DNA sequence: ATTGATGCAAAAGATTTGCAAACTG
DNA sequence: CAGTTTGCAAATCTTTTGCATCAAT
């Protein structure tokens, strides 16, 4: 279950003088419930279906907050949209996005990470985050 | 100069039954003139400053066209915007984006490319394009 | 002449923001 | 209670579109 994760978020909020409101709890709960990639609006829809009433603005605000705190990670889908995925219990990974069916495949390669760090330091650049996406056709669509 | 490049674009247009209009020429000319990354609106501004009259819509349409044809490449800046850079005579490279001053630094690492290919094939994924961006602080802003 | 291209302004899509009202600590 | 948050709707920002007019072939 996501009880522990929710506790962690609550703790974070409280420690930072942020309030643990019912909306924030609901949003965090949903964010951890899906093991999929979701947009702010996707999450809003799920809330509506469950008769949980939160405003669109709050979803955006809270998701932004959770992202900043590192509980979720946002990735631009390249079509002007943004998708989130929760991070707790996940190792860092990159993404392959199928340009036909929209499927998102996660992958990780330690050497990739290392080379990025190395490239950055060559330019005196300090990496805060990175985004590596491979666009193309997944096994089923190629 | 960019005469050859313009010729190449003109040729491409004609071969594809597209018309070589003064607007398209101007836009292509500007796109090749800057060796920087520019947004559609940046390019529009330059045109205005030079008293070259083109509409915003045409800039967007033409840039999209040039991108599809492979003359320019677009990259999402992560803040909802999109920047272009011309491609002719450029080798492929990735980007570091300074989150403070917006500066874009180009870099390339052959090994990075290889590992991406390898990761893709492990998942039966066929790469059509990729996007690797490092977000952080550049030398001057860190 | 045809048919594609342009410009304008309105539309769209995603996200943000101002502000009064509601709620948390 | 004081100070945050919320919800709403209006505002942004960037890009796209419909359509009448204009221009390239």
């Amino acid at each position: 279950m996501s009880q522990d994760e929710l506790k962690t978020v609550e703790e974070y909020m409280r420690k930072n003088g942020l309030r643990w409101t019912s909306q924030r709890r609901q949003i965090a709960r949903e964010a951890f419930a899906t093991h999929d990639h979701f947009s702010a609006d996707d999450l809003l829809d799920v809330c509506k279906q469950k008769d949980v009433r939160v405003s669109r603005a709050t979803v955006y605000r809270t998701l932004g907050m959770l992202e900043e705190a590192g509980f979720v990670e946002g990735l631009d889908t390249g079509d002007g949209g943004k998708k989130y995925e929760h991070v707790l219990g996940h190792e860092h990974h990159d993404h392959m996005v199928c340009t036909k069916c929209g499927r998102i495949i996660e992958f990780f390669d330690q050497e990739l990470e290392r080379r990025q760090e190395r490239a950055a330091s060559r330019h005196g650049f300090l990496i805060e985050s990175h985004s590596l996406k491979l666009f193309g056709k997944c096994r089923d669509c190629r």
Side-chain angles (χ1 to χ4, degrees), chain A residues 9 12-13 16 18 20 24 27-28 31-32 37-40 43 58-77 81-88 92 95 128-131 133:
Chain A
V9 179
Y12 166 85
M13 293 279 185
N16 288 74
L18 300 167
W20 190 232
R24 288 179 179 171
I27 293 167
F32 287 119
H37 297 75
F38 59 91
S39 67
L43 196 151
T58 298
V59 172
Y60 276 96
R61 284 189 277 233
T62 304
L63 244 19
M65 185 172 266
L66 293 176
E67 179 175 22
E68 195 159 354
F71 292 116
V72 302
E73 200 172 282
L75 77 142
D76 283 303
T77 47
K82 187 173 187 177
K83 299 250 188 207
Y84 291 94
E85 61 183 330
H86 64 243
V87 161
L88 283 184
H92 164 72
H95 298 91
E128 288 166 352
S129 70
H130 76 206
S131 154
K133 281 168 291 186

Side-chain angles (χ1 to χ4, degrees), chain A residues 28-64:
Chain A
R29 190 201 301 296
E30 293 308 332
F32 287 119
T34 344
H35 284 276
D36 244 348
H37 297 75
F38 59 91
S39 67
D41 257 42
D42 290 340
L43 196 151
L44 183 63
D45 287 342
V46 175
C47 287
K48 277 181 181 162
Q49 282 168 22
K50 296 189 179 175
D51 261 316
V52 173
R53 48 170 191 44
V54 235
S55 69
R56 172 178 271 93
T58 298
V59 172
Y60 276 96
R61 284 189 277 233
T62 304
L63 244 19

Side-chain angles (χ1 to χ4, degrees), chain A residues 124-140:
Chain A
F125 191 87
L126 180 66
I127 300 181
E128 288 166 352
S129 70
H130 76 206
S131 154
L132 169 57
K133 281 168 291 186
L134 309 182
F135 294 99
K137 297 280 185 296
C138 72
R139 205 191 306 270
D140 300 338

